[in-house]
């Protein structure tokens, strides 16, 4: 570079110096020209890249918003479904048990019919097939069994809920809480399903519809439909033939009955100590009171002292109270 500068100052340069100057100028021109082209090319492609990025991120944002909207809709559907199941839980649980209950009752009736036919020496009897039973036949069997249960006692029940009797909850043992007796929806537990103690005052007796309390001892107080002079009590349980577990170890065994004039006043009047025998084959058992009273009573207290061997809970299906009414205007006829 010093030689080129000196040459330019003197005004005379050799051909080698001129060639170097020419090459240098050419190189600078090429570099500058290419630099301008690169700048113009980069500037031209920038809007295209920005548009592509905008389109890509816009699509991602749209998909994300769509997923959020779908999640909100699913959440609302989940809430609606959960509310529906919770509002109709008892009906749902009852419907799920109906088929098994009906089949069990029909098997029990079939067994009774076979025993009857064998004892009567009737020829040509064909065994019943559950698959051939129609819905009308099931309803007829239920009606017949219900009538049979009613006819076994043939005494007015003053502990019948539909006639006005009720459970005094403050004088009743707590319910047995079974972790398996829950309703689930999509794996979410949302409701415990337990039978209240007032089921023992209702005439419908089928497997599972009983009041269960923890352990083998428990008690309940019943406000009778009207004042009576009590004469007898009836206890009912299901038979082993229709029991889902195949046994009735949870049935009450020894129990005592007391009478009261008023819920909070007066002493308990001992009416008797009895034993429900689940081995007799008779599910409805009536007991005449051992200590009858001449006084009219409004309340009866039932104390279960033990059961037939179940270690976790005791099941009471139905309890009835019979007697002489104080007057003749008992409920409905």
């Amino acid at each position: 570079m010093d030689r080129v500068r000196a040459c330019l100052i003197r005004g005379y340069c050799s051909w080698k110096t001129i060639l170097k100057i020419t090459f240098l100028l050419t190189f600078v021109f090429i570099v500058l020209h290419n630099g301008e082209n690169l700048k113009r090319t980069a500037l031209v492609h920038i809007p295209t890249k920005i548009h592509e990025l905008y389109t890509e991120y816009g699509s991602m944002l749209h998909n994300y918003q769509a997923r959020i909207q779908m999640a909100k809709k699913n959440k609302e559907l989940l809430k609606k479904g959960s509310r529906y199941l919770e509002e109709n839980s008892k009906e749902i649980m009852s419907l799920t048990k109906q088929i098994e209950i009906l089949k069990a009752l029909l098997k029990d009736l079939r067994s009774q019919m076979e025993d009857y036919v064998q004892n009567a020496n009737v020829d040509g009897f064909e065994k019943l097939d559950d698959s051939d039973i129609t819905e009308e036949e099931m309803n007829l069997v239920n009606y017949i069994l219900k009538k049979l249960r009613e006819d076994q006692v043939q005494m007015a029940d003053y502990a019948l809920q539909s006639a006005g009797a009720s459970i005094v909850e403050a004088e009743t043992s707590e319910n047995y809480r079974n972790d398996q007796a829950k309703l689930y929806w999509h794996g979410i537990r949302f409701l415990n399903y337990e039978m209240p103690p007032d089921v023992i005052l209702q005439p419908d007796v089928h497997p599972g519809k009983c009041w269960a309390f923890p352990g083998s001892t428990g008690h309940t107080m019943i406000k009778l439909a009207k004042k009576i002079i009590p004469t007898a009590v009836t206890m009912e349980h299901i038979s082993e033939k229709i029991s889902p577990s195949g046994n009735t170890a949870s049935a009450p065994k020894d129990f005592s009955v007391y009478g009261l004039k008023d819920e909070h006043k007066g002493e308990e009047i001992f009416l008797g100590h009895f034993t429900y025998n689940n081995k007799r084959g008779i599910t409805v058992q009536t007991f005449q009171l051992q200590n009858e009273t001449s006084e009219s009573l409004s309340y009866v207290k039932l104390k279960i002292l033990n059961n037939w061997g179940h270690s976790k809970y005791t099941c009471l299906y139905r309890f009835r109270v019979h007697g002489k009414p104080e007057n003749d205007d008992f409920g409905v006829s």
Side-chain angles (χ1 to χ4, degrees), residues 23-160:
F23 178 77
L24 181 60
L25 292 175
T26 302
F27 177 75
V28 171
F29 175 76
I30 292 172
V31 170
L32 292 175
H33 180 71
N34 288 339
E36 290 298 325
N37 287 339
L38 288 172
K39 289 181 181 179
R40 284 196 298 270
T41 303
L43 291 174
V44 168
H45 290 293
I46 284 174
T48 303
K49 291 181 178 179
I50 291 175
H51 177 71
E52 290 176 353
L53 288 173
Y54 176 80
T55 304
E56 181 181 354
Y57 284 105
S59 177
M60 292 172 62
L61 180 61
H62 176 74
N63 293 335
Y64 178 71
Q65 290 175 339
R67 288 201 299 269
I68 291 177
Q69 202 67 22
M70 183 63 69
K72 288 181 179 178
K73 290 181 179 179
N74 291 336
K75 185 178 180 181
E76 289 299 320
L77 290 174
L78 182 64
K79 287 182 179 179
K80 289 180 180 178
S82 179
R83 283 197 300 268
Y84 175 80
L85 288 175
E86 186 170 1
E87 291 170 358
N88 298 274
S89 59
K90 290 188 177 180
E91 182 179 356
I92 292 170
M93 185 65 75
S94 177
L95 289 174
T96 57
K97 290 183 177 180
Q98 287 304 309
I99 294 177
E100 295 181 2
I101 292 168
L102 290 172
K103 284 186 176 182
L105 290 171
L106 288 169
K107 287 180 180 179
D108 188 37
L109 180 62
R110 178 182 64 185
S111 177
Q112 294 179 21
M113 291 176 65
E114 288 178 352
D115 292 341
Y116 173 79
V117 171
Q118 289 175 2
N119 294 333
N121 295 321
V122 177
D123 296 330
F125 177 76
E126 295 181 0
K127 291 187 176 181
L128 298 176
D129 185 0
D130 292 342
S131 62
D132 296 332
I133 298 170
T134 65
E135 184 178 355
E136 292 181 356
E137 291 171 335
M138 289 182 179
N139 293 333
L140 179 60
V141 169
N142 283 335
Y143 176 78
I144 292 172
L145 291 176
K146 183 177 179 181
K147 287 299 180 183
L148 286 172
R149 285 197 295 266
E150 291 174 352
D151 292 341
Q152 287 176 355
V153 178
Q154 287 294 313
M155 288 187 289
D157 178 15
Y158 294 93
L160 187 65

